[in-house]
Amino acid sequence: MADDSRYKLFGVYVSEPVTDALEEYLYDTAGVVDLEGYFDTTSDLVPVGDPGADATDELVADVLEEFAALYDRADFDAAERVAPDAFNLVHLAARPQQVSDIRERFRAASTIQETDSRTVQTAILAAYFETDVDD
């Protein structure tokens, strides 16, 4: 039985403009001022009711729901041009099943695109936020 009182933390690698869009989203949605230091990464669980975790859970749910359309709009070529050291590791929280589902979709997209997860995560989330992959 799933524990509905906790979210699971997981990381995504995204370019700087996508990080900025994510930070803006979390500030507007949940009042999160410092995304980088918001989640305690020494534990991989966050309680439901945490404003930042609730917001990222909703974000992950939206991305899962729209994944096919986001995939079609994603600029994978631009994401592949991002320098390998220019990606930021960002932690998000979501219900454990959603974490499994989003990881599976990112892996499948990586296989189809014949690229790495950083490229896919950046391209898909850039499409979600309707932002450029890179400056």
Side-chain angles (χ1 to χ4, degrees), residues 32-98:
V32 173
V33 176
D34 177 23
L35 174 59
E36 184 178 330
Y38 185 77
F39 292 117
D40 174 9
T41 57
T42 61
S43 171
D44 69 344
L45 298 175
V46 179
V48 168
D50 175 288
D54 290 345
T56 60
D57 177 66
E58 186 176 319
L59 167 73
V60 171
D62 289 348
V63 170
L64 281 167
E65 184 177 316
E66 299 175 31
F67 199 88
L70 295 171
Y71 181 91
D72 289 343
R73 291 195 324 257
D75 189 347
F76 295 105
D77 291 335
E80 283 186 341
R81 290 190 298 269
V82 175
D85 62 347
F87 291 95
N88 299 315
L89 174 60
V90 176
H91 289 91
L92 306 175
R95 297 187 190 281
Q97 185 60 52
Q98 288 186 163

Side-chain angles (χ1 to χ4, degrees), residues 14 17 36 44 51 105 111 118 123 128 133:
V14 291
E36 184 178 330
D44 69 344
R105 301 244 176 109
T111 300
R118 297 174 302 189
Y128 178 81
V133 168

